[in-house]
């Protein structure tokens, strides 16, 4: 078989050498050999001679007839071997033997060629697959591009169609307006012609005394305006001086009180130093111990003397010697112990003395620091009050200047109206003369009418003397000013006397008064019928007057609040962003569906009712433009035209709340913000508006928006880009935005949405920069459940909320979600859940009541969302609990106005106010079991929930006289101390 294979291989080699390009069945070997020549030409260069020798040995004598075979391997090219046979040449097929080594080399070469051929085929297949994949991707890209192109073309066509439609509509509207304008001009011309005709008839009987009366009334109006302006200026000046003097006096009293407190603190420190000096009795005790020690040492010496005597006696008796030695050793041990005790006592006394000295020094330093801080605080408060006084003075001056300018403008308007009236009176005089001439001609023509007198409109000239005439009011007291009683009486006294109206027909026929019917007032054009236009001075005066009046009222309220604050107790004067005044009762003024109505306008009408019911703060919905109408997906933070109303309506609502002494809390979303544009790769992470941020303002671990900022410091809100608050420019922009909301819009505090998304230290920075009156954070976390039931121990849950409040430095309070969750189960005859093992309330209220904002329901848990609604049959018990316990309670809009609980909640607020309960009031829980819950809050209120048979007279420790204030049977009962 080897011989056959070797012969076949050698035959193939001969055929390859004869015709390398022949397409035989074994052409693959020729191609592989050809490629091998192309890649490795040097490998075949050494075989060149051997191949030629083999040819000579193979072809025998006929070899000389062959043309020379050239195998060229220069460079990277391979020239095919050409071998031409002469015609008639033949090769003898005798048994020619091929050398075995040559055959083995050929076999190896062929094997290598096969392996390389397989590798090349594999590489070719791989390249073909890559080519197919690339073609598929190219087709996919082409299809995507075409699809995007089609979408873009369709959008362009739709936009073009909409533009064409709007253009056609605008053209049509323009055509309609032009046609209306033409018609209006025609009507105006016709009306002018008719007016001219009627005016000619109307002023035929006008007399000269009318002009005199008009002049008298104008002069009276001018004098009244001057008097009124002077009286207003005097009132403003007196009021401003009185308020400034009262504020300065109050500031002086406060500074004197602060200095008195500082002096009292200094006296107390000196007394404390004297007390510490007097308490140095331990040194005397040490001296006494030292004297006792000396005495003891003397006793030891005496004993040693006695020991010497006993030693002399020991010589006599050996037994007594040993005994005396034992006694001596025991005495020595006692002496050493005494010395050690004395040394320890001395060291302890030294340490105690040093510690007392250090304590005295630290106490003195603390007292000095406190005194310095109090002085600085007093000076700072004094400076602040001075600044406030200066600001109030400047505001008063600005108000006075504005009123002076308004008065001057009113005077100018009066002068203009006077000139207009003079021109009109001139025209009237001319027409009156014409009318008089006409009447005189009639009288001369008929002798029968010599004694007749013409009467206008039945005996009255309604054109000018009608009391309802707007022209009469304009001429009498100027624009926009009501006529006072004394002026109206004076004007009535100088009315011209006209004959009475005739009602009897016979009397009219026989009377010497002849009726001359003139057109009515509403049929004649006059200045009273001209409506003010935009840009008119009168309209500007009205707007300016309203602005001045608003500023004046705001200044009065600010001065009034400053004056009232000094009259409050020290506890009520303290204002912190985490607690407010400590006596706040917050009202959530919206629900999930409020955006469907003109909410700002609707809520503003309820401000007086809320203030009357005892509410102190109102929480408004998010004010910014938002992708979602509820406001919790904000986009342009400076655009306050939202689904709840316009920015003007928002300001009007806030002003109305402030007029009722209500704080206004704005719902601000700081964790996330919706982008306005897409990035080149199609991700919505380019923000617009005034705060035009980019991807660098988004945290890098937000999986949906490819942010380039730092990792988030909290949880990720996946619906919108999460803002990176570690960026300096982000924090700077947010601080400026919050101050803009405080100063320009009028918000007093914040409700902070989804504060789990960023660290509390950033909240502290924002609160310190904006200085709100009250701030609440929404730190929402899940309670602990086991087997579907609420666990009794919820310390871990409230600890997480307390940790967040700690991170803000106590500058913000937080919603007490723990208390809400526990009340869901506790009010179903599990009142034992309302007391923890330490005897305190089980929510955040039990650990940090001043920062706990208690609530039952809000727009997320209730309303139309209903994520975690409070049991409706337990709402009254729930409000009885949170409105009588410490913390800051929140009342939901739906419960107050839609569920019919307004009267019940108002009654509970009254009980809280009467008892003086605030956010830090102490709670003493008396009973908490399956039947009910009883607690004393503060010193003057006791409340009971459930079926428990209890009243204050059954409790031994409740002293005083108690009166039942509210009795709702098994739901709840309240008692107040007399």
């Amino acid at each position: 078989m080897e011989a056959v294979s070797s012969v076949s291989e050698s035959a193939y080699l001969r055929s390859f050498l004869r015709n390398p390009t022949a397409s035989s069945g074994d052409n693959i070997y020729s191609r592989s050999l050809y490629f091998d020549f192309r890649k490795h030409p040097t490998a075949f260069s050494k075989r060149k001679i051997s191949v030629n020798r083999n040819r000579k040995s193979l072809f025998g004598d006929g070899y000389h007839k062959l043309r020379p075979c050239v195998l060229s391997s220069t460079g990277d090219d391979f020239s095919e071997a050409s071998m031409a046979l002469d015609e008639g040449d033949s090769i003898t097929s005798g048994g020619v033997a091929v050398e075995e080594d040559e055959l083995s080399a050929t076999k190896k070469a062929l094997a290598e060629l096969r392996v390389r051929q397989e590798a090349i085929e594999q590489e070719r297949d791989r390249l073909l697959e890559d080519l197919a994949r690339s073609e598929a991707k190219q087709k996919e890209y082409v299809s995507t591009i075409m699809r995007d192109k089609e979408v873009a073309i369709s959008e362009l066509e739709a936009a073009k169609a909409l533009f064409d439609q709007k253009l056609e509509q605008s053209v049509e509207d323009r055509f309609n307006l032009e046609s209306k304008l033409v018609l209006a001009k025609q009507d105006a011309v016709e009306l002018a012609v008719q007016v001219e005709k009627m005016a000619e008839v109307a002023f035929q009987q006008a007399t000269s005394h009318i002009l005199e009366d008009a002049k008298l009334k104008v002069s009276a109006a001018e004098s009244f305006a001057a008097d009124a302006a002077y009286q207003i200026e005097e009132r403003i000046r007196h009021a401003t001086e009185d308020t400034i003097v009262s504020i300065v006096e109050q500031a002086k009293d406060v500074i004197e009180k602060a200095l008195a407190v500082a002096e009292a603190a200094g006296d107390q420190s000196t007394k404390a130093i004297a007390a510490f000096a007097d308490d140095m009795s331990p040194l005397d005790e040490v001296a006494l111990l030292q004297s006792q020690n000396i005495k003891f040492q003397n006793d030891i010496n005496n004993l040693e003397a006695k020991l010497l005597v006993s030693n002399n006696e020991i010589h006599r008796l050996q037994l007594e010697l040993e005994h005396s030695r034992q006694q001596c050793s025991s005495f020595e041990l006692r002496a050493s112990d005494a010395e050690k005790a004395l040394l320890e006592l001395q060291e302890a006394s030294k340490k105690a003395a040093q510690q007392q000295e250090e304590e005295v020094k630290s106490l003195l330093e603390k007292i000095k620091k406190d005194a310095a801080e109090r002085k600085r605080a007093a000076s700072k408060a004094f400076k602040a009050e001075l600044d406030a006084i200066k600001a109030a003075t400047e505001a008063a001056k600005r108000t006075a200047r504005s009123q002076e300018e308004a008065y001057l403008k009113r005077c100018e308007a009066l002068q203009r109206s006077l000139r207009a009236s003079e021109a009109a009176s001139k025209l009237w005089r001319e027409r009156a003369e014409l009318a008089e001439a006409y009447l005189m001609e009639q009288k001369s023509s008929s002798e029968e009418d010599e004694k007749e007198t013409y009467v206008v409109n039945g005996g009255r000239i309604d054109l000018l003397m009608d009391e309802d005439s707007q022209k009469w009011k304009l001429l009498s007291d100027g624009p926009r000013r009501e006529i006072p009683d004394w002026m109206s009486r004076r004007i009535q006294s100088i009315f011209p006397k006209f004959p009475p109206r005739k009602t009897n027909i016979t009397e009219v026929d026989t009377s010497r008064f002849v009726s001359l019917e003139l057109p009515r007032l509403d049929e004649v054009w006059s200045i009273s019928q001209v409506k003010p236009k935009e840009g008119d001075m009168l309209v500007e005066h009205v707007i300016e007057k309203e602005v001045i009046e608003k500023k004046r009222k705001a200044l009065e309220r600010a001065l009034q609040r400053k004056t009232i604050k000094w009259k409050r107790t020290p506890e009520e004067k303290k204002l912190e962003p985490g607690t407010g005044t400590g006596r706040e009762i917050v009202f959530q003024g919206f629900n999930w569906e409020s955006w469907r109505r003109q909410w700002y306008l609707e809520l503003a009408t309820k401000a007086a009712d809320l203030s009357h019911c005892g509410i102190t703060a109102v929480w408004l919905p998010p004010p910014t433009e938002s992708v979602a109408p509820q406001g919790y997906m904000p986009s342009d933070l400076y655009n306050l035209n939202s689904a709840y109303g316009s920015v003007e309506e928002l300001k009007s609502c806030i002003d109305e709340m402030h007029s009722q002494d209500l704080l206004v809390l704005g719902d601000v979303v700081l964790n996330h913000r919706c982008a306005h544009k897409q990035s080149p790769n199609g991700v919505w992470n380019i923000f617009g508006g005034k705060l035009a941020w980019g991807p660098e303002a988004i945290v890098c671990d937000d999986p949906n928006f490819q942010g380039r900022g730092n990792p988030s410091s909290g949880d990720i809100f996946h619906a919108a880009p999460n803002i990176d608050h570690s960026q300096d420019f982000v924090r700077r922009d947010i601080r400026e935005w919050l101050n803009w909301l405080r100063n320009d819009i009028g918000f007093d505090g914040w409700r902070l949405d989804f504060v789990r998304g960023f660290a509390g230290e950033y909240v502290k920075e924002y609160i310190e920069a904006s200085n709100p009156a009250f701030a609440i954070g929404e730190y929402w976390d899940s309670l602990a459940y086991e087997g579907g039931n609420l666990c009794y121990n919820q310390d871990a849950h409230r600890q997480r909320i307390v940790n967040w409040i700690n991170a803000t430095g106590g500058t913000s309070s937080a919603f007490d979600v723990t208390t809400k969750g526990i009340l869901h189960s506790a009010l179903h005859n599990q009142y034992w859940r309302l007391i923890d093992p330490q005897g305190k309330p089980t929510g955040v209220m039990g650990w940090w009541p001043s920062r706990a904002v208690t609530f039952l329901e809000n727009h997320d848990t209730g309303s139309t969302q209903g994520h975690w609604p409070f049991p409706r049959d337990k709402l009254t018990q729930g409000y009885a609990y949170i409105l009588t316990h410490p913390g800051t309670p929140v009342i939901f809009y739906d419960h107050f106005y839609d569920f019919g609980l307004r009267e019940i909640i108002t009654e509970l607020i009254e009980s809280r106010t009467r008892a003086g309960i605030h956010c830090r009031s102490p709670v003493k829980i008396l009973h908490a079991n399956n039947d009910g819950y009883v607690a004393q809050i503060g010193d003057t209120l006791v409340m009971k929930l459930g079926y428990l048979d209890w009243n204050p007279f059954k409790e031994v420790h409740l002293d005083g006289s108690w009166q039942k204030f509210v009795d709702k049977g098994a739901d709840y009962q309240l008692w107040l101390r007399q």
Side-chain angles (χ1 to χ4, degrees), residues 136-339:
K137 288 183 179 179
Q138 185 178 4
K139 290 180 180 179
E140 184 179 356
Y141 292 156
V142 170
S143 62
T144 304
I145 292 169
M146 294 301 294
R147 186 169 59 255
D148 294 341
K149 183 179 179 182
E150 291 174 358
V151 171
I153 290 171
S154 62
E155 290 179 352
L156 287 174
E157 290 177 353
K160 184 179 179 181
L162 182 61
F163 176 77
D164 294 336
Q165 183 179 359
K166 290 184 177 180
L167 183 61
E168 291 177 358
Q169 186 176 1
S170 63
V171 171
E172 185 178 357
D173 294 338
R174 182 181 177 182
F175 178 77
N176 294 331
L177 289 174
E178 289 177 353
S179 61
K180 289 180 181 178
L181 181 61
V182 171
L183 294 175
K185 287 181 179 179
Q186 294 177 357
D187 294 337
V189 171
E190 294 175 0
L191 182 61
V193 172
Q194 294 177 3
V195 165
E196 190 68 20
K197 292 180 180 179
M198 288 187 291
E200 289 177 359
V201 179
F203 295 109
Q204 287 179 358
Q205 297 297 325
T207 59
S208 60
H209 67 273
I210 296 175
L211 180 61
E212 295 177 358
D213 293 338
K215 289 182 179 179
L216 289 174
K217 291 166 185 175
V218 170
S219 61
E222 290 179 351
S223 62
F224 170 71
D227 295 337
Y230 178 77
Q231 291 177 3
I232 290 171
E233 291 175 356
E234 289 293 323
R235 290 177 183 174
I236 292 173
R237 186 172 59 80
H238 289 307
T240 306
E241 291 176 355
D242 295 339
T243 53
I244 291 173
V245 169
S246 63
I247 291 172
V248 171
E249 290 177 356
Q250 290 176 0
K252 289 181 180 178
D253 295 338
V254 171
I255 292 170
E256 290 176 358
K257 290 180 181 179
L259 293 175
V261 172
E263 291 176 359
D267 296 336
Q268 188 177 1
S269 65
T270 54
K271 291 179 181 179
I273 293 169
F276 279 114
D278 294 334
D279 292 338
M280 297 302 289
S281 59
L283 296 176
D284 298 335
E285 294 179 359
V286 171
L288 181 61
L289 290 173
Q290 289 178 351
S291 62
Q292 291 178 358
N293 189 18
I294 293 169
K295 292 179 180 180
F296 190 70
Q297 190 67 33
N298 293 330
D299 294 338
I300 291 172
N301 294 330
N302 294 329
L303 289 174
E304 289 178 351
K306 291 180 180 180
L307 182 61
L308 294 173
V309 174
S310 63
N311 286 331
N312 293 328
E313 293 178 355
I314 285 170
H315 292 291
R316 297 178 183 179
L317 298 171
Q318 188 66 31
L319 295 174
E320 292 181 0
L321 180 60
E322 293 177 358
H323 183 66
S324 62
R325 285 177 180 176
Q326 293 176 358
Q327 289 181 352
C328 182
S329 61
S330 64
F331 288 150
E332 288 177 354
L333 291 173
R334 291 179 182 178
S336 63
D337 293 338
E339 289 178 356

Side-chain angles (χ1 to χ4, degrees), residues 335-396:
S336 63
D337 293 338
E339 289 178 356
K340 291 179 181 179
L342 180 60
L343 292 173
E344 292 177 355
L345 183 60
Q346 289 177 352
E347 292 178 356
S349 62
K350 288 180 181 179
K351 290 181 180 179
Q354 291 177 356
Q355 186 176 1
Q356 288 178 355
E357 291 178 358
E358 291 176 355
E359 290 178 354
V360 171
K361 289 180 180 179
S362 63
L363 183 60
L364 287 174
E365 292 177 355
K366 185 177 180 181
I367 291 171
K368 290 179 181 178
K369 289 181 180 179
D370 292 340
E373 289 178 357
R374 288 174 181 173
K375 287 181 180 179
R376 286 196 296 271
S379 62
K380 187 176 180 181
F382 181 67
K383 289 180 181 178
E385 291 300 325
L386 286 178
D387 294 337
I389 292 169
K390 290 179 181 179
T393 306
E394 291 295 330

Side-chain angles (χ1 to χ4, degrees), residues 931-950:
D931 295 332
Y933 168 87
V934 180
Q936 179 182 357
I937 303 92
D939 297 328
T940 58
L941 187 142
V942 174
M943 65 94 61
K944 177 182 78 72
L945 299 174
Y947 298 92
L948 185 66
D949 184 12
W950 184 91

Side-chain angles (χ1 to χ4, degrees), residues 53-66:
R53 288 177 181 175
N54 281 335
R55 285 178 185 169
K56 187 174 182 181
S57 62
L58 284 170
F59 302 121
D61 296 334
Y63 176 75
H64 63 280
K65 296 181 180 180
L66 291 173

